[in-house]
């Protein structure tokens, strides 16, 4: 009995699950640092953000070293989260002429309680604000996660 108690005492604690802000910030930091293998760990398998080539295109498109996510909203009940960046200026306009906007990270919670990035979009600041408002209305338990202090 003593041996079992001793063995259980020294087992490493399970790694804590990351919240949606930590996942979005982790993906963003790894992608902008040019570390696609690290970034894809934060994304849902089979989706575009989980492909190393998509991560590298994202880095090239954004052309920044760091981006803040002032708004992260999540619903535990529905397994939905939305992280929104400040408006950013792209180094090169998109084919449709868009050269600025907000990044919107859509996250989902797996059955194991792990948050993963499902999709990333670039939208106007007005549309981003509208999406946040719609998410608050659609998810009655929606809560915001404050920005990480550095």
């Amino acid at each position: 009995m003593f041996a079992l108690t001793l063995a259980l005492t020294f087992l490493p604690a399970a790694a804590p699950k990351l919240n949606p802000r930590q996942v979005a910030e982790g993906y963003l930091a790894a992608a902008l640092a040019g570390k696609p293998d690290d970034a894809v760990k934060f994304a849902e398998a089979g989706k575009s953000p989980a492909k190393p080539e998509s991560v590298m295109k994202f880095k090239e498109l954004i052309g920044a070293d760091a981006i803040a996510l002032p708004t992260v909203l999540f619903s535990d009940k529905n397994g939905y989260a939305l992280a929104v960046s400040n408006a950013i200026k792209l180094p090169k306009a998109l084919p449709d002429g868009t050269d600025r906007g907000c990044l919107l990270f859509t996250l989902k919670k797996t059955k194991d309680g792990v948050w993963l990035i499902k999709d990333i979009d670039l939208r106007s600041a007005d549309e981003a604000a509208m999406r946040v408002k719609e998410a608050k209305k659609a998810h009655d338990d929606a809560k915001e996660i404050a920005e990480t202090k550095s």
Side-chain angles (χ1 to χ4, degrees):
M1 182 65 142
F2 175 73
L4 178 61
T5 303
L6 188 59
L8 291 175
T9 303
F10 291 107
L11 282 176
K17 291 185 177 150
L18 301 177
N19 68 41
R21 174 175 290 285
Q22 293 166 322
V23 171
E25 288 176 346
Y27 183 92
L28 196 51
L32 296 179
K35 298 179 178 179
D37 292 337
D38 291 342
V40 299
K41 294 174 187 174
F42 295 103
E44 182 181 2
K47 302 291 183 180
S48 181
K51 298 175 182 172
E53 59 275 11
S54 294
V55 175
M56 294 311 292
K57 285 180 187 175
F58 175 80
K59 177 184 173 15
E60 185 179 316
L61 171 75
I62 301 305
D65 293 330
I67 295 173
L69 298 173
T71 304
V72 177
L73 183 73
F74 78 104
S75 164
D76 253 335
K77 182 172 73 176
N78 297 321
Y80 170 86
L82 180 67
V84 182
S85 76
N86 287 326
I88 59 170
K89 180 152 177 42
L90 302 176
K92 180 179 168 190
L94 298 176
D96 68 0
T98 302
D99 69 346
R100 65 182 313 108
C102 297
L103 293 171
L104 279 70
F105 293 82
T106 304
L107 296 90
K108 76 176 231 178
K109 192 175 189 182
T110 68
K111 63 182 177 183
D112 298 327
V114 176
W115 288 96
L116 296 172
I117 294 177
K118 180 178 177 180
D119 191 33
I120 304 171
D121 292 308
L122 180 70
R123 300 287 183 230
S124 71
D126 288 342
E127 187 172 345
M130 182 186 70
R131 295 266 183 110
V132 169
K133 187 176 180 180
E134 288 172 351
K136 286 179 179 179
K137 193 180 284 187
H139 305 282
D140 62 352
D141 69 324
K143 297 179 204 121
E144 286 197 44
I145 302 173
E147 285 188 75
T148 306
K149 303 294 181 200
S150 51

